[in-house]
Amino acid sequence: MLKIANYEFQSHLLLGTGKYSDFNLQKKAVEASETEILTFAVRRMNIFEADQPNFLEMIDVDQYTLLPNTAGAKTAEEAVRIAKLAKASGLCDMIKVEIIGDQKTLLPDPFETLKACEILLKEGFIVLPYISDDVVLAKRLQELGVHAVMPGASPIGSGQGILNPVHLQFIIQQATVPVIVDAGIGSPADAALAMELGADGVLLNTAVSDAQDPVKMALAMKLAVEAGRYGCAAGRIPKKTYASASSPTEGMSTVES
Amino acid sequence: MLKIANYEFQSHLLLGTGKYSDFNLQKKAVEASETEILTFAVRRMNIFEADQPNFLEMIDVDQYTLLPNTAGAKTAEEAVRIAKLAKASGLCDMIKVEIIGDQKTLLPDPFETLKACEILLKEGFIVLPYISDDVVLAKRLQELGVHAVMPGASPIGSGQGILNPVHLQFIIQQATVPVIVDAGIGSPADAALAMELGADGVLLNTAVSDAQDPVKMALAMKLAVEAGRYGCAAGRIPKKTYASASSPTEGMSTVES
Amino acid sequence: MLKIANYEFQSHLLLGTGKYSDFNLQKKAVEASETEILTFAVRRMNIFEADQPNFLEMIDVDQYTLLPNTAGAKTAEEAVRIAKLAKASGLCDMIKVEIIGDQKTLLPDPFETLKACEILLKEGFIVLPYISDDVVLAKRLQELGVHAVMPGASPIGSGQGILNPVHLQFIIQQATVPVIVDAGIGSPADAALAMELGADGVLLNTAVSDAQDPVKMALAMKLAVEAGRYGCAAGRIPKKTYASASSPTEGMSTVES
Amino acid sequence: MLKIANYEFQSHLLLGTGKYSDFNLQKKAVEASETEILTFAVRRMNIFEADQPNFLEMIDVDQYTLLPNTAGAKTAEEAVRIAKLAKASGLCDMIKVEIIGDQKTLLPDPFETLKACEILLKEGFIVLPYISDDVVLAKRLQELGVHAVMPGASPIGSGQGILNPVHLQFIIQQATVPVIVDAGIGSPADAALAMELGADGVLLNTAVSDAQDPVKMALAMKLAVEAGRYGCAAGRIPKKTYASASSPTEGMSTVES
């Protein structure tokens, strides 16, 4: 079970809602993923523009927990403003703080993110910051009281998978709040690895939306997250340099005899 | 569906039967894996020693396809003798040819393996050789008529995962018979990756038998193989160096306005 | 040439001075490295305790640029105090800001580091912060005016090499000040890779001090840094998935004829 | 010193002679590399076509040991014929056996290679086979009496570096003859790593010939091979998961006091 603040989820897979060209396909992918949490960019959702189509109108929103994000924000001030707008809409009291500090890599700004989290926590939000895999940054944010940390695996939409499993594992080992790996997941093996390392959840978007078959990939991701979670709980074998026979035949009755 | 010669399987996960200390636990793990193919070392199974306990007696063998292997053989001659012994027992006409050429790494001998396959094919066996990830070796073996090739991911029991995904992918791309990744799988992410690369199946033993919780790990591996298979079929996104926004906000109505 | 503020160096290899058990051996290693910059922990050097041996007394300090560091500091305040102490000793106006935020991983604290840099820059120091490989952190620090950034390759003394070449390359590509890879270098190949990626320098300590033969390893590191620097300037070939003959024989007169 | 049969070399870098567009540039690159061994495709060199330009005419061949190779051969028979042609030319009694078994990956054929080596050894050649990184194949060839083994790092000309350092290290650890890493080296860091792993030499071509500045890259490779060789001899530090302070300050007089 994934617990974020007072919310509880059976699924450990979070899905973004951007980039799909076809709302029907998207709906099927969302269903195949069995996700319970959908994140969306407040700035992108035309909440207040009734004349434009919107994916959230397509689905039974009561079935999902909506996680608005502050995509598009470059400063704490902008992020706070977007978060308040989301809250005012009554959709959710959770907010994914996403403040980009570099447009080429879309990597997050640690300083503006910390500042925004501080303000939003005081305002009573449930705060989930998207961060780099800086271990001390994760530590400082959880000391501040954030409800989860969301380190990126690699740049948003790059599909490069987990560039630095060592940093990710350090973040997980010292975590006192859920760690949700966000951004950069490219394939089911990436998602499984994140969970095996001990992550509490995986958030992805492009890996499913831009796959050749988004519905099938959504299913694959669901299975991969479960596989990784069971794999983590099952306690994997250590890696060894040399071989160790799975069919030892020493001292066995030999067929030669 | 995995097709090997005239056999057809729903499951793409093959399980070894060595190394378990507790037959009841092993039985539960085998069930959780939903495997349809169990491999066992002919030399290890005390087929002809009725007084010794044997895992195969514990299970309903009709439910599984048994894949005897020649573990313990160091020469083609030994492997052929073991294969004939297996066939004589009436258990199966398939044989996994495993001829170790180096005791420290348990890596296979390409020359003795080719020789054994040649003989066994003439004798009418369904032949699945365990091999290194040498691309031309795989090619030569399938030209010879083997029914599947089983390249190792890393040394047997090492849990190092797929050391060389490039070679594995080359083998898969040129394959005209099923490619089953054998040996070295350590975790669900490894199994998922093998399938994503296009493998037709994954054979593992130690990763489950030596996990802290073999039953849970067997379940994890089942899910991982499915995840990887769907992931392969779904067509993953390409890896990109730079980021690509999953929540593009360019040209969006800004909240600042 | 490596230029940091008004300093110019022929060597691109910086050496730490900790961990050696034998000052004579250390002196030979330093000489073999041909480094021009030696970093030392102000707190460790018994500058004001004349009765204790000190490596800096062993060498002709005029031959080297001394780069005091703030190792041991956990806050900006402590780091600033150490930096001022170093400056007061008259040894150097450069300071490597090292503020550890996690004792297990010895990874740096981005917030205290930024704060310390801000203060020290105002006080006229030449400031070189040791940082994680957070891309936006590097950007913010150079906007602040630091004279170089020193991202870690992996945890101090771990010898794991460059855990995340992608982040390192992002830092280098956007850099307006020298990038010196600091911490985690384990072998000459690591040092060469750092320079190939475009780093301006490499700082290491344990890789030499704890090698079985520190003098030989110092020489190896000197050569590796040069190799990597020339390699970067020479423009390496792109990586290709498939082969490309270096001895193409198509259309050649064949020996068979 | 690199010893192959009765030959002794100071340099551990072997250079291919293909792919250069400009013989003058090539000559400078060869000189910068300080190589003592030049390999060339017998089929490519127009030994018997006096009217065509030939790089070997450009250099003082007495300064180099020429290592003819059988590039273009697809069978043992072809390779043997090419080797005999090379010997007849009086250039050298060494032969690099290169028999390609797959045109897309240019990976070598283990069976034809073994067969050719067997014949050429009987004919008194000094035999250096280019092979995959199959550990048992390397073992069988050295049992046969070859004078060095030349495992590929990755496909010829691909610049992917060492795809499988584990297999390479296994080959080196069991080797009784020199191990020369051949094919796939892309950058100085790759060359350094090969030597650090304990290789006796590195053979490359494309990495230098196709670099933007071949002469500078040749120098870089020379330095890298030396760096890796000294690094190997110096005994590198082990890799550790966690950090270990290079500037320990525990128990130090604190500046705060």
Side-chain angles (χ1 to χ4, degrees):
Chain A
M1 202 169 57
L2 171 62
K3 288 188 64 167
I4 301 169
N6 52 326
Y7 289 90
E8 292 182 359
F9 306 98
Q10 296 306 311
S11 165
H12 296 253
L13 176 59
L14 294 77
L15 228 56
T17 56
K19 288 191 152 185
Y20 291 86
S21 50
D22 173 341
F23 284 164
N24 278 315
L25 190 70
Q26 180 170 9
K27 200 180 167 203
K28 282 182 194 157
V30 167
E31 284 165 4
S33 77
E34 294 186 18
T35 188
E36 297 169 72
I37 309 178
L38 292 172
T39 184
F40 64 96
V42 176
R43 284 184 63 181
R44 187 157 183 77
M45 285 298 145
N46 304 303
I47 299 173
F48 306 105
E49 301 181 24
D51 55 335
Q52 292 217 12
N54 185 328
F55 175 63
L56 298 185
E57 294 169 7
M58 297 285 296
I59 56 169
D60 179 0
V61 288
D62 294 343
Q63 275 199 295
Y64 299 95
T65 296
L66 297 179
L67 174 58
N69 67 56
T70 67
K74 293 177 189 170
T75 64
E77 201 189 352
E78 282 172 30
V80 168
R81 208 181 304 151
I82 294 170
K84 286 183 179 174
L85 195 64
K87 201 179 199 176
S89 76
L91 287 173
C92 189
D93 54 352
M94 288 209 277
I95 187 78
K96 174 180 159 189
V97 174
E98 178 175 332
I99 307 177
I100 299 307
D102 180 65
Q103 290 310 307
K104 196 171 183 185
T105 60
L106 297 182
L107 288 167
D109 185 317
F111 303 104
E112 296 297 315
T113 299
L114 187 93
K115 208 191 292 177
C117 289
E118 205 164 6
I119 296 169
L120 292 168
L121 285 167
K122 279 183 191 147
E123 302 255 357
F125 282 86
I126 296 171
V127 180
L128 298 83
Y130 161 59
I131 58 172
S132 76
D133 60 3
D134 185 304
V135 179
V136 179
L137 169 59
K139 212 170 148 178
R140 294 288 167 263
L141 283 164
Q142 73 190 23
E143 285 164 5
L144 205 66
V146 300
H147 300 85
V149 290
M150 306 184 77
S154 50
I156 295 173
S158 73
Q160 293 190 77
I162 303 173
L163 289 176
N164 192 339
V166 173
H167 274 197
L168 184 55
Q169 205 154 16
F170 285 157
I171 288 176
I172 289 166
Q173 282 165 357
Q174 60 86 51
T176 55
V177 295
V179 177
I180 296 166
V181 174
D182 183 9
I185 296 297
S187 81
D190 298 339
L193 181 57
M195 296 302 290
E196 279 175 30
L197 294 173
D200 299 281
V202 170
L203 192 162
L204 51 86
N205 188 346
T206 310
V208 166
S209 65
D210 288 17
Q212 283 167 39
D213 183 336
V215 181
K216 199 169 274 175
M217 189 56 92
L219 171 59
M221 289 298 184
K222 176 190 90 89
L223 294 166
V225 166
E226 287 176 15
R229 200 164 63 88
Y230 284 120
C232 184
R236 65 157 287 160
I237 54 170
K239 294 187 186 186
K240 291 186 295 186
T241 303
Y242 290 105
S244 141
S246 50
S247 304
T249 53
E250 288 301 311
M252 285 296 110
S253 60
T254 63
V255 292
E256 293 84 345
S257 63
Chain B
M1 201 168 56
L2 171 62
K3 287 187 66 168
I4 301 170
N6 51 328
Y7 289 90
E8 292 181 359
F9 307 99
Q10 296 306 311
S11 165
H12 296 253
L13 176 59
L14 295 77
L15 227 56
T17 56
K19 285 193 153 180
Y20 290 86
S21 50
D22 174 341
F23 283 162
N24 278 313
L25 189 71
Q26 181 170 7
K27 201 181 166 199
K28 281 182 194 157
V30 166
E31 285 164 5
S33 77
E34 293 185 18
T35 186
E36 297 168 75
I37 309 178
L38 290 172
T39 183
F40 64 95
V42 176
R43 284 184 63 182
R44 185 155 185 81
M45 286 297 145
N46 304 302
I47 299 172
F48 306 105
E49 301 182 23
D51 56 334
Q52 291 216 15
N54 185 329
F55 174 65
L56 298 185
E57 295 169 6
M58 297 286 294
I59 56 168
D60 179 0
V61 289
D62 292 343
Q63 275 200 294
Y64 299 95
T65 297
L66 296 179
L67 174 58
N69 68 56
T70 66
K74 293 178 189 169
T75 64
E77 200 189 353
E78 282 172 31
V80 168
R81 207 181 303 151
I82 294 170
K84 287 183 178 174
L85 195 64
K87 200 178 200 177
S89 76
L91 288 173
C92 190
D93 55 352
M94 286 209 278
I95 187 77
K96 175 181 158 188
V97 175
E98 177 176 334
I99 306 177
I100 299 306
D102 180 66
Q103 290 309 307
K104 197 172 183 185
T105 60
L106 296 182
L107 289 167
D109 185 318
F111 303 103
E112 295 297 316
T113 300
L114 186 93
K115 207 190 294 176
C117 288
E118 205 164 4
I119 297 168
L120 292 168
L121 286 167
K122 279 182 193 149
E123 302 257 356
F125 281 86
I126 296 171
V127 180
L128 299 82
Y130 161 59
I131 58 172
S132 75
D133 60 2
D134 186 303
V135 179
V136 180
L137 169 58
K139 213 170 147 178
R140 293 290 166 262
L141 283 164
Q142 73 191 21
E143 285 165 4
L144 204 65
V146 301
H147 301 84
V149 288
M150 306 184 78
S154 50
I156 294 174
S158 72
Q160 291 189 81
I162 302 172
L163 289 176
N164 192 339
V166 173
H167 274 197
L168 185 54
Q169 207 154 15
F170 286 157
I171 288 175
I172 290 166
Q173 282 165 355
Q174 61 85 52
T176 55
V177 295
V179 176
I180 296 167
V181 175
D182 182 11
I185 296 297
S187 82
D190 298 339
L193 181 57
M195 296 303 291
E196 279 175 31
L197 293 173
D200 299 281
V202 170
L203 191 163
L204 50 86
N205 187 345
T206 310
V208 165
S209 66
D210 288 18
Q212 283 167 41
D213 183 337
V215 181
K216 198 169 274 175
M217 190 56 93
L219 172 58
M221 288 299 185
K222 176 189 90 87
L223 294 166
V225 166
E226 287 177 15
R229 200 163 63 88
Y230 284 119
C232 183
R236 64 157 289 160
I237 54 170
K239 294 187 185 187
K240 291 187 294 187
T241 303
Y242 290 104
S244 140
S246 50
S247 304
T249 53
E250 288 302 311
M252 286 296 110
S253 58
T254 63
V255 293
E256 292 86 344
S257 64
Chain C
M1 202 169 56
L2 172 61
K3 288 187 65 168
I4 301 170
N6 52 328
Y7 289 90
E8 292 181 358
F9 306 98
Q10 296 306 312
S11 165
H12 296 254
L13 176 60
L14 294 78
L15 228 56
T17 57
K19 287 192 152 180
Y20 291 86
S21 50
D22 174 341
F23 283 163
N24 277 314
L25 190 70
Q26 181 170 8
K27 201 182 166 200
K28 281 182 194 157
V30 167
E31 285 165 5
S33 77
E34 293 185 19
T35 186
E36 296 169 72
I37 309 178
L38 291 171
T39 183
F40 65 95
V42 175
R43 283 184 64 181
R44 186 154 184 81
M45 286 296 145
N46 304 303
I47 300 172
F48 307 105
E49 301 181 25
D51 55 334
Q52 290 215 16
N54 186 328
F55 174 65
L56 298 186
E57 294 170 8
M58 296 287 294
I59 56 168
D60 179 0
V61 289
D62 293 344
Q63 276 200 293
Y64 299 95
T65 297
L66 297 179
L67 174 58
N69 67 57
T70 67
K74 292 177 190 169
T75 64
E77 201 189 353
E78 282 172 32
V80 168
R81 208 181 303 151
I82 294 170
K84 288 183 177 173
L85 195 66
K87 200 180 200 176
S89 76
L91 288 173
C92 189
D93 55 352
M94 286 209 279
I95 187 78
K96 174 180 158 189
V97 174
E98 177 176 333
I99 306 178
I100 299 307
D102 180 66
Q103 290 309 308
K104 196 171 182 186
T105 60
L106 297 182
L107 288 167
D109 185 318
F111 304 102
E112 296 297 316
T113 300
L114 186 93
K115 207 190 294 177
C117 288
E118 205 164 6
I119 297 169
L120 291 168
L121 286 167
K122 280 183 191 149
E123 301 256 356
F125 281 86
I126 295 170
V127 179
L128 299 83
Y130 161 59
I131 58 172
S132 75
D133 59 4
D134 185 302
V135 179
V136 180
L137 169 59
K139 212 170 148 177
R140 293 289 167 263
L141 284 164
Q142 73 191 21
E143 285 165 5
L144 205 65
V146 301
H147 300 84
V149 289
M150 306 184 78
S154 51
I156 295 174
S158 73
Q160 292 190 79
I162 302 173
L163 289 176
N164 192 338
V166 173
H167 274 197
L168 185 54
Q169 207 154 15
F170 285 157
I171 289 176
I172 289 166
Q173 281 165 356
Q174 61 85 51
T176 55
V177 295
V179 176
I180 297 167
V181 175
D182 182 11
I185 296 297
S187 81
D190 297 339
L193 180 57
M195 296 302 290
E196 279 174 30
L197 293 174
D200 299 281
V202 170
L203 192 161
L204 51 86
N205 188 345
T206 310
V208 165
S209 66
D210 288 19
Q212 283 167 40
D213 183 337
V215 180
K216 198 168 274 174
M217 190 57 91
L219 171 59
M221 289 298 185
K222 175 189 90 86
L223 294 166
V225 166
E226 287 177 14
R229 200 162 64 86
Y230 284 119
C232 184
R236 66 157 288 161
I237 54 170
K239 294 187 186 188
K240 291 187 294 187
T241 303
Y242 291 104
S244 140
S246 50
S247 303
T249 53
E250 289 301 311
M252 285 296 110
S253 58
T254 64
V255 293
E256 292 84 344
S257 64
Chain D
M1 202 167 59
L2 171 62
K3 288 187 65 167
I4 300 170
N6 53 325
Y7 289 91
E8 292 181 0
F9 307 98
Q10 296 305 312
S11 166
H12 296 253
L13 176 60
L14 294 77
L15 227 56
T17 55
K19 287 194 153 181
Y20 291 86
S21 49
D22 174 341
F23 284 163
N24 278 314
L25 190 70
Q26 180 170 8
K27 200 180 167 202
K28 280 182 196 158
V30 167
E31 285 164 3
S33 76
E34 293 185 17
T35 187
E36 297 169 72
I37 308 178
L38 291 172
T39 184
F40 65 96
V42 175
R43 284 184 64 182
R44 187 157 183 77
M45 285 298 145
N46 303 304
I47 299 173
F48 306 105
E49 300 182 24
D51 56 334
Q52 292 217 13
N54 186 328
F55 175 64
L56 298 185
E57 293 170 5
M58 297 285 295
I59 57 169
D60 179 0
V61 289
D62 293 343
Q63 275 199 295
Y64 299 95
T65 297
L66 296 179
L67 174 58
N69 67 56
T70 67
K74 292 177 191 172
T75 63
E77 200 189 353
E78 282 173 31
V80 168
R81 208 181 303 149
I82 295 171
K84 286 181 178 173
L85 195 65
K87 201 179 198 174
S89 76
L91 287 174
C92 190
D93 54 352
M94 288 209 278
I95 187 77
K96 174 180 158 189
V97 174
E98 179 176 331
I99 306 177
I100 299 307
D102 179 66
Q103 290 310 308
K104 196 171 183 186
T105 60
L106 296 183
L107 288 167
D109 185 316
F111 304 103
E112 295 298 315
T113 300
L114 187 94
K115 206 190 294 176
C117 288
E118 205 164 3
I119 296 168
L120 292 168
L121 285 167
K122 279 183 191 146
E123 302 256 356
F125 281 87
I126 296 171
V127 179
L128 298 83
Y130 161 59
I131 58 172
S132 76
D133 60 2
D134 185 304
V135 179
V136 179
L137 169 59
K139 213 171 147 177
R140 293 290 166 263
L141 283 164
Q142 72 190 22
E143 286 164 4
L144 204 67
V146 300
H147 300 85
V149 289
M150 307 185 76
S154 50
I156 294 174
S158 72
Q160 292 191 77
I162 302 173
L163 289 176
N164 192 339
V166 172
H167 274 197
L168 185 54
Q169 205 154 16
F170 286 157
I171 289 175
I172 290 166
Q173 281 165 358
Q174 60 86 51
T176 54
V177 295
V179 176
I180 296 167
V181 174
D182 183 8
I185 296 296
S187 81
D190 298 339
L193 181 56
M195 296 303 289
E196 279 175 30
L197 293 174
D200 298 282
V202 170
L203 192 161
L204 51 86
N205 187 346
T206 309
V208 165
S209 65
D210 287 18
Q212 283 167 39
D213 183 336
V215 180
K216 199 169 274 174
M217 190 56 92
L219 171 58
M221 289 298 184
K222 176 190 90 88
L223 293 166
V225 166
E226 287 177 14
R229 199 164 63 88
Y230 284 120
C232 184
R236 66 157 287 159
I237 55 170
K239 293 188 186 187
K240 290 186 297 186
T241 304
Y242 290 104
S244 142
S246 49
S247 305
T249 53
E250 287 302 310
M252 285 296 111
S253 60
T254 64
V255 293
E256 293 85 342
S257 65

